[in-house]
Amino acid sequence: WNGFKKWVKGINGEVFFNPIIINDTMRHRNIKNGIKGDVPVIGAVGRNADQKDWTSFHCVADKVCAIRPEVEVWNLGEEGFCKNANERIKDMDIFVMTSKHEELPTTVLECFVSKTAICGFIPRGGMSDILSFSNGALKEVFIEERDTDKLASIVLKILNDDELRQRIVEDGWQIVTNHFDAVKNCRGQLLEIYRRFIK
């Protein structure tokens, strides 16, 4: 990812991020102030690969459940990738990201458009670029160090604080709509890049 960014910058001086299509249903989805269902749900989605660090995910989940035993944990990937990931993400209260590296973590953008709170370790790759667009809330809940105790504390804090959870969701929403909206970005930034090459 970093090598690709340097290559693109070397050509035209800017980076075009992979966009996501935001439909009208997503735009009008309410940001809820409480837990979405009857019980709090924390989870993650991804393939069964070392880079996803499911061991850390389960370690964090165990620490959270030791304090809040009613919390439900969804691991949607250890037994095979979940094909309908965005629908399941929408039903989570908190997405817990434990990846070691991600070029551009698409599931993060899915969380943003699903208006699902997210926290986690900052993996090598494009997550730092995404966080650079944050107004603050997401920067509070993503950490550089791979410390499962600290991440579990963050998850518990988000579960216990409706206002923080809402700020995280709002921060993610402004990031995805301002910087990753396919319709807006492709018509504007990407077409402009193509025009420069055509000249």
PDB file of all heavy atoms in Angstrom, residues 9 11 24 33 37 54 67 86 94-95 121 128 135 141 156 158 169:
ATOM      1  N   LYS A   9       1.762   9.022  -6.184  1.00  0.00           N
ATOM      2  CA  LYS A   9       2.183  10.396  -5.912  1.00  0.00           C
ATOM      3  C   LYS A   9       3.278  10.826  -6.877  1.00  0.00           C
ATOM      4  O   LYS A   9       3.330  11.971  -7.292  1.00  0.00           O
ATOM      5  CB  LYS A   9       2.671  10.528  -4.470  1.00  0.00           C
ATOM      6  CG  LYS A   9       1.541  10.572  -3.466  1.00  0.00           C
ATOM      7  CD  LYS A   9       2.072  10.834  -2.069  1.00  0.00           C
ATOM      8  CE  LYS A   9       0.932  10.946  -1.080  1.00  0.00           C
ATOM      9  NZ  LYS A   9       1.390  11.227   0.280  1.00  0.00           N
ATOM     10  N   ILE A  11       3.517  10.044  -9.904  1.00  0.00           N
ATOM     11  CA  ILE A  11       2.950  10.322 -11.217  1.00  0.00           C
ATOM     12  C   ILE A  11       2.195  11.644 -11.226  1.00  0.00           C
ATOM     13  O   ILE A  11       2.353  12.453 -12.118  1.00  0.00           O
ATOM     14  CB  ILE A  11       1.996   9.177 -11.638  1.00  0.00           C
ATOM     15  CG1 ILE A  11       2.812   7.918 -11.902  1.00  0.00           C
ATOM     16  CG2 ILE A  11       1.182   9.554 -12.868  1.00  0.00           C
ATOM     17  CD1 ILE A  11       1.980   6.690 -12.178  1.00  0.00           C
ATOM     18  N   ASP A  24     -28.837   5.228  -1.084  1.00  0.00           N
ATOM     19  CA  ASP A  24     -29.784   6.040  -0.312  1.00  0.00           C
ATOM     20  C   ASP A  24     -30.162   5.392   1.008  1.00  0.00           C
ATOM     21  O   ASP A  24     -30.387   6.078   2.010  1.00  0.00           O
ATOM     22  CB  ASP A  24     -31.051   6.314  -1.134  1.00  0.00           C
ATOM     23  CG  ASP A  24     -30.806   7.335  -2.236  1.00  0.00           C
ATOM     24  OD1 ASP A  24     -29.824   8.101  -2.115  1.00  0.00           O
ATOM     25  OD2 ASP A  24     -31.574   7.372  -3.205  1.00  0.00           O
ATOM     26  N   ASN A  33     -28.572   5.573  19.465  1.00  0.00           N
ATOM     27  CA  ASN A  33     -27.869   5.990  20.669  1.00  0.00           C
ATOM     28  C   ASN A  33     -27.634   4.861  21.652  1.00  0.00           C
ATOM     29  O   ASN A  33     -26.996   5.039  22.654  1.00  0.00           O
ATOM     30  CB  ASN A  33     -28.667   7.099  21.363  1.00  0.00           C
ATOM     31  CG  ASN A  33     -27.808   8.307  21.640  1.00  0.00           C
ATOM     32  OD1 ASN A  33     -26.593   8.217  21.586  1.00  0.00           O
ATOM     33  ND2 ASN A  33     -28.441   9.421  21.925  1.00  0.00           N
ATOM     34  N   GLY A  37     -29.441  -4.364  19.537  1.00  0.00           N
ATOM     35  CA  GLY A  37     -30.370  -5.474  19.776  1.00  0.00           C
ATOM     36  C   GLY A  37     -30.615  -5.700  21.260  1.00  0.00           C
ATOM     37  O   GLY A  37     -30.427  -4.798  22.088  1.00  0.00           O
ATOM     38  N   TRP A  54      -6.728 -13.624  14.576  1.00  0.00           N
ATOM     39  CA  TRP A  54      -7.912 -14.048  15.324  1.00  0.00           C
ATOM     40  C   TRP A  54      -7.571 -14.383  16.778  1.00  0.00           C
ATOM     41  O   TRP A  54      -8.421 -14.275  17.664  1.00  0.00           O
ATOM     42  CB  TRP A  54      -8.558 -15.252  14.636  1.00  0.00           C
ATOM     43  CG  TRP A  54      -9.246 -14.897  13.360  1.00  0.00           C
ATOM     44  CD1 TRP A  54      -8.842 -15.195  12.084  1.00  0.00           C
ATOM     45  CD2 TRP A  54     -10.465 -14.150  13.216  1.00  0.00           C
ATOM     46  NE1 TRP A  54      -9.739 -14.686  11.170  1.00  0.00           N
ATOM     47  CE2 TRP A  54     -10.739 -14.043  11.833  1.00  0.00           C
ATOM     48  CE3 TRP A  54     -11.339 -13.565  14.128  1.00  0.00           C
ATOM     49  CZ2 TRP A  54     -11.856 -13.381  11.338  1.00  0.00           C
ATOM     50  CZ3 TRP A  54     -12.457 -12.903  13.639  1.00  0.00           C
ATOM     51  CH2 TRP A  54     -12.708 -12.812  12.264  1.00  0.00           C
ATOM     52  N   ILE A  67     -15.822  -9.314  32.072  1.00  0.00           N
ATOM     53  CA  ILE A  67     -16.416  -8.166  32.767  1.00  0.00           C
ATOM     54  C   ILE A  67     -17.900  -8.036  32.424  1.00  0.00           C
ATOM     55  O   ILE A  67     -18.728  -7.714  33.275  1.00  0.00           O
ATOM     56  CB  ILE A  67     -15.688  -6.852  32.387  1.00  0.00           C
ATOM     57  CG1 ILE A  67     -14.183  -6.972  32.621  1.00  0.00           C
ATOM     58  CG2 ILE A  67     -16.285  -5.655  33.126  1.00  0.00           C
ATOM     59  CD1 ILE A  67     -13.780  -7.132  34.068  1.00  0.00           C
ATOM     60  N   ASN A  86     -21.374  -7.246   5.011  1.00  0.00           N
ATOM     61  CA  ASN A  86     -21.881  -5.911   5.335  1.00  0.00           C
ATOM     62  C   ASN A  86     -23.206  -5.967   6.082  1.00  0.00           C
ATOM     63  O   ASN A  86     -23.484  -5.110   6.924  1.00  0.00           O
ATOM     64  CB  ASN A  86     -21.998  -5.047   4.072  1.00  0.00           C
ATOM     65  CG  ASN A  86     -22.884  -5.668   3.011  1.00  0.00           C
ATOM     66  OD1 ASN A  86     -23.163  -6.856   3.049  1.00  0.00           O
ATOM     67  ND2 ASN A  86     -23.308  -4.871   2.054  1.00  0.00           N
ATOM     68  N   ILE A  94     -20.110  -3.170  18.030  1.00  0.00           N
ATOM     69  CA  ILE A  94     -18.703  -2.769  17.906  1.00  0.00           C
ATOM     70  C   ILE A  94     -17.962  -3.787  17.054  1.00  0.00           C
ATOM     71  O   ILE A  94     -18.023  -4.996  17.315  1.00  0.00           O
ATOM     72  CB  ILE A  94     -18.000  -2.663  19.275  1.00  0.00           C
ATOM     73  CG1 ILE A  94     -18.737  -1.709  20.210  1.00  0.00           C
ATOM     74  CG2 ILE A  94     -16.549  -2.202  19.096  1.00  0.00           C
ATOM     75  CD1 ILE A  94     -18.200  -1.724  21.628  1.00  0.00           C
ATOM     76  N   PHE A  95     -17.272  -3.301  16.042  1.00  0.00           N
ATOM     77  CA  PHE A  95     -16.378  -4.122  15.237  1.00  0.00           C
ATOM     78  C   PHE A  95     -14.987  -3.973  15.842  1.00  0.00           C
ATOM     79  O   PHE A  95     -14.500  -2.857  16.028  1.00  0.00           O
ATOM     80  CB  PHE A  95     -16.384  -3.634  13.792  1.00  0.00           C
ATOM     81  CG  PHE A  95     -15.637  -4.523  12.834  1.00  0.00           C
ATOM     82  CD1 PHE A  95     -16.329  -5.348  11.962  1.00  0.00           C
ATOM     83  CD2 PHE A  95     -14.250  -4.514  12.776  1.00  0.00           C
ATOM     84  CE1 PHE A  95     -15.644  -6.160  11.055  1.00  0.00           C
ATOM     85  CE2 PHE A  95     -13.562  -5.316  11.886  1.00  0.00           C
ATOM     86  CZ  PHE A  95     -14.257  -6.147  11.023  1.00  0.00           C
ATOM     87  N   PHE A 121      -6.492  -2.307  16.795  1.00  0.00           N
ATOM     88  CA  PHE A 121      -5.079  -2.017  16.575  1.00  0.00           C
ATOM     89  C   PHE A 121      -4.941  -1.311  15.226  1.00  0.00           C
ATOM     90  O   PHE A 121      -5.725  -1.563  14.316  1.00  0.00           O
ATOM     91  CB  PHE A 121      -4.266  -3.314  16.537  1.00  0.00           C
ATOM     92  CG  PHE A 121      -4.349  -4.164  17.771  1.00  0.00           C
ATOM     93  CD1 PHE A 121      -4.477  -5.541  17.678  1.00  0.00           C
ATOM     94  CD2 PHE A 121      -4.294  -3.590  19.031  1.00  0.00           C
ATOM     95  CE1 PHE A 121      -4.537  -6.334  18.808  1.00  0.00           C
ATOM     96  CE2 PHE A 121      -4.364  -4.367  20.179  1.00  0.00           C
ATOM     97  CZ  PHE A 121      -4.482  -5.753  20.063  1.00  0.00           C
ATOM     98  N   SER A 128      -3.790   4.058   8.704  1.00  0.00           N
ATOM     99  CA  SER A 128      -3.275   5.358   9.152  1.00  0.00           C
ATOM    100  C   SER A 128      -3.778   6.485   8.267  1.00  0.00           C
ATOM    101  O   SER A 128      -4.065   7.591   8.742  1.00  0.00           O
ATOM    102  CB  SER A 128      -1.743   5.356   9.167  1.00  0.00           C
ATOM    103  OG  SER A 128      -1.271   4.430  10.116  1.00  0.00           O
ATOM    104  N   ASN A 135     -11.977  13.260  12.846  1.00  0.00           N
ATOM    105  CA  ASN A 135     -12.176  14.473  13.658  1.00  0.00           C
ATOM    106  C   ASN A 135     -11.768  14.261  15.111  1.00  0.00           C
ATOM    107  O   ASN A 135     -11.848  15.182  15.912  1.00  0.00           O
ATOM    108  CB  ASN A 135     -13.643  14.919  13.603  1.00  0.00           C
ATOM    109  CG  ASN A 135     -14.005  15.531  12.265  1.00  0.00           C
ATOM    110  OD1 ASN A 135     -13.141  16.029  11.546  1.00  0.00           O
ATOM    111  ND2 ASN A 135     -15.282  15.484  11.926  1.00  0.00           N
ATOM    112  N   VAL A 141      -9.789   5.521  19.758  1.00  0.00           N
ATOM    113  CA  VAL A 141     -10.089   4.103  19.991  1.00  0.00           C
ATOM    114  C   VAL A 141      -9.269   3.153  19.111  1.00  0.00           C
ATOM    115  O   VAL A 141      -9.513   1.949  19.110  1.00  0.00           O
ATOM    116  CB  VAL A 141     -11.605   3.830  19.815  1.00  0.00           C
ATOM    117  CG1 VAL A 141     -12.392   4.576  20.878  1.00  0.00           C
ATOM    118  CG2 VAL A 141     -12.090   4.193  18.417  1.00  0.00           C
ATOM    119  N   LEU A 156     -14.770  -2.079  26.234  1.00  0.00           N
ATOM    120  CA  LEU A 156     -15.668  -1.906  27.384  1.00  0.00           C
ATOM    121  C   LEU A 156     -16.098  -0.452  27.534  1.00  0.00           C
ATOM    122  O   LEU A 156     -17.264  -0.161  27.824  1.00  0.00           O
ATOM    123  CB  LEU A 156     -14.979  -2.397  28.660  1.00  0.00           C
ATOM    124  CG  LEU A 156     -14.860  -3.915  28.789  1.00  0.00           C
ATOM    125  CD1 LEU A 156     -13.846  -4.283  29.868  1.00  0.00           C
ATOM    126  CD2 LEU A 156     -16.219  -4.549  29.102  1.00  0.00           C
ATOM    127  N   ILE A 158     -16.396   1.755  25.146  1.00  0.00           N
ATOM    128  CA  ILE A 158     -17.376   2.061  24.103  1.00  0.00           C
ATOM    129  C   ILE A 158     -18.729   1.446  24.443  1.00  0.00           C
ATOM    130  O   ILE A 158     -19.777   2.077  24.259  1.00  0.00           O
ATOM    131  CB  ILE A 158     -16.877   1.566  22.727  1.00  0.00           C
ATOM    132  CG1 ILE A 158     -15.572   2.263  22.329  1.00  0.00           C
ATOM    133  CG2 ILE A 158     -17.930   1.806  21.645  1.00  0.00           C
ATOM    134  CD1 ILE A 158     -14.872   1.633  21.139  1.00  0.00           C
ATOM    135  N   VAL A 169     -19.259   6.639  15.457  1.00  0.00           N
ATOM    136  CA  VAL A 169     -20.082   6.403  14.268  1.00  0.00           C
ATOM    137  C   VAL A 169     -20.142   7.660  13.405  1.00  0.00           C
ATOM    138  O   VAL A 169     -19.992   7.595  12.178  1.00  0.00           O
ATOM    139  CB  VAL A 169     -21.500   5.944  14.689  1.00  0.00           C
ATOM    140  CG1 VAL A 169     -22.455   5.963  13.505  1.00  0.00           C
ATOM    141  CG2 VAL A 169     -21.438   4.551  15.310  1.00  0.00           C
TER     142      VAL A 169
END
